Amino acid sequence: MAITAFVIHRIHRLQDEEPATLTLGQDTGHAGADHEFLLSQMKKLFNAKPGKKYGRFSSEVGDHPFSRWLSEALNEKIPFARCSNDFMQLLKQHIDASRATLDGYVVMVNDQRAEDRRIYLFWLENESGLQITRTLELDTCDYLNIGRLEIAARVELNDWLGEHPGDSYLTLLASRNQSELSDLFARTLGFQSSVDTEKETQTLLETLEQFATKVEPKTASQVYKKAYDFCADQHARGEAVQIKELSGVLNEQEPGQFARFAHQEMAIDGEAEFFPDHRKIKQLIRFAGKGKGLSLSFNSDLMTNAVHYDPQKDVLTITDIPKGLKQQLVRFIKSVEKPQDHH
């Protein structure tokens, strides 16, 4: 099985003093190749987006009834399309009570693949462009922008409906560019945050840094490289970083080494999982900083090789200057040192 339900709705509001106009869709019944392509593209964008929030449904079901509607739909007490319609009606109420103006589509999908059971909700927008008609005339047209995703949500059904529900089965993508609409979307879902991504990222980085000091200096850079590759791979799949799995990646000969260190030194359980910020995880393999007119970035494995830092003097020395940069520096020095013509 793959897509078992696929519903598209449109909602737009051009004047903030007027109510939003809602056009409800119907369950496609049978998802075709176009539906599969759209879902595949949106899932890739969703997984790749950094800065997602992780949590669960609010326990205040009276104020946030979507979780109840979804549960009833999954138990076939109500049609999936009705659950989707009720979500849109509630979203419209929140929009009408705000000053938000918008024009877009909400796609709600029930995706069942092998052991993975997920519900997706995507906010999509149209773009305008030009097309050539059959009579070879230019005409404007609207098309769905499938290269951008700013607002979306994913429900991990196995984690939510399992015997022991987790605390992070609901993932929210909330755009800063559309903060008001993102807040309304989250409120309609009944999203309740349960993961401090910034704190988890810092904890994971500190644990890896401490662990790297315990291994031989020659292998420390490999620890960072392997950790980054694993975290990047999990990020691309939209999955958490599990300490036990990461431990096996860092040392295949002794797969439990890092997990034991994390437990003994940092009080982190071997079964723990993290949702680190992918942008900050790059610190494992790359140093970067800018300020006062200077911007600098280099791979961490260049430290003590081509880049040397003296913390006592606060001096950074680069011994292997890139060719292009060297040429610019030489030209600049020559121009500055060139004798001035006083005639």
Side-chain angles (χ1 to χ4, degrees):
M1 298 179 68
I3 296 176
T4 62
F6 194 108
V7 190
I8 302 175
H9 311 282
R10 184 185 181 192
I11 185 166
H12 66 280
R13 187 193 199 194
L14 304 181
Q15 303 282 336
D16 58 17
E17 69 273 7
E18 297 179 356
T21 300
L22 174 61
T23 304
L24 295 173
Q26 298 295 322
D27 188 352
T28 58
H30 174 71
D34 289 340
H35 300 89
E36 289 283 0
F37 173 76
L38 179 61
L39 176 60
S40 175
Q41 179 67 11
M42 291 302 103
K43 285 164 67 174
K44 288 179 182 178
L45 292 176
F46 183 84
N47 290 339
K49 280 282 188 176
K52 292 188 286 289
K53 300 177 181 179
Y54 301 88
R56 57 184 182 272
F57 287 124
S58 171
S59 58
E60 301 294 332
V61 181
D63 295 329
H64 305 284
F66 174 65
S67 60
R68 186 183 73 242
W69 300 334
L70 182 57
S71 177
E72 291 175 349
L74 294 171
N75 289 319
E76 298 184 350
K77 294 181 179 180
I78 62 173
F80 187 83
R82 178 179 167 185
C83 166
S84 185
N85 291 350
D86 288 344
F87 174 86
M88 292 304 300
Q89 294 284 6
L90 183 57
L91 177 61
K92 180 184 183 309
Q93 290 180 28
H94 292 321
I95 290 173
D96 289 345
S98 74
R99 300 187 64 83
T101 57
L102 48 94
D103 186 4
Y105 302 86
V106 174
V107 179
M108 186 170 173
V109 186
N110 189 353
D111 189 33
Q112 311 266 341
R113 298 174 191 272
E115 299 299 321
D116 295 328
R117 302 167 56 221
R118 294 167 174 163
I119 298 293
Y120 288 96
L121 294 99
F122 304 110
W123 170 264
L124 305 179
E125 295 180 343
N126 270 340
E127 296 285 349
S128 294
L130 289 174
Q131 67 174 347
I132 299 177
T133 66
R134 293 182 179 180
T135 57
L136 303 182
E137 298 288 339
L138 283 176
D139 191 15
T140 58
C141 66
D142 290 337
Y143 63 93
L144 199 59
N145 187 344
I146 60 172
R148 183 177 70 188
L149 183 65
E150 301 288 344
I151 302 173
R154 180 183 65 204
V155 185
E156 299 283 356
L157 296 181
N158 290 341
D159 291 345
W160 176 38
L161 303 175
E163 187 175 346
H164 303 287
D167 276 339
S168 53
Y169 53 78
L170 180 55
T171 307
L172 176 67
L173 173 61
S175 169
R176 294 180 181 177
N177 298 326
Q178 300 189 59
S179 58
E180 186 173 15
L181 180 57
S182 295
D183 290 344
L184 298 175
F185 193 82
R187 192 186 312 167
T188 307
L189 283 170
F191 176 81
Q192 183 174 328
S193 179
S194 61
V195 175
D196 187 337
T197 304
E198 184 174 347
K199 182 179 179 181
E200 290 207 346
T201 303
Q202 191 61 34
T203 299
L204 183 59
L205 288 174
E206 289 177 357
T207 305
L208 287 165
E209 289 169 358
Q210 291 294 324
F211 178 71
T213 64
K214 304 297 182 182
V215 301
E216 295 184 11
K218 292 182 179 180
T219 61
S221 61
Q222 285 300 311
V223 168
Y224 290 142
K225 180 67 166 57
K226 289 179 179 180
Y228 173 77
D229 288 345
F230 178 76
C231 291
D233 187 51
Q234 293 299 98
H235 172 76
R237 293 205 296 254
E239 298 180 2
V241 174
Q242 296 184 339
I243 291 298
K244 185 177 181 179
E245 291 183 3
L246 176 58
S247 184
V249 169
L250 295 182
N251 190 337
E252 295 180 359
Q253 282 70 40
E254 194 177 348
Q257 183 186 22
F258 176 70
R260 287 196 302 273
F261 173 85
H263 178 67
Q264 294 169 1
E265 302 295 330
M266 308 295 287
I268 298 174
D269 187 87
E271 300 299 323
E273 58 181 26
F274 289 79
F275 294 90
D277 187 329
H278 181 63
R279 294 166 296 190
K280 295 183 179 179
I281 285 296
K282 287 185 179 179
Q283 295 176 18
L284 291 170
I285 61 167
R286 196 163 186 82
F287 296 116
K290 59 182 178 179
K292 297 181 180 179
L294 176 66
S295 179
L296 190 63
S297 174
F298 57 90
N299 291 341
S300 59
D301 57 7
L302 294 178
M303 285 295 290
T304 70
N305 182 13
V307 180
H308 305 266
Y309 177 60
D310 185 341
Q312 301 299 325
K313 298 180 180 179
D314 195 22
V315 173
L316 189 70
T317 304
I318 303 175
T319 59
D320 190 5
I321 301 174
K323 183 178 179 180
L325 176 59
K326 185 186 298 185
Q327 291 173 345
Q328 295 177 59
L329 293 172
V330 171
R331 285 197 302 268
F332 177 78
I333 292 174
K334 286 182 178 180
S335 68
V336 171
E337 295 178 346
K338 183 178 180 181
Q340 298 296 317
D341 187 355
H342 299 287
H343 297 289

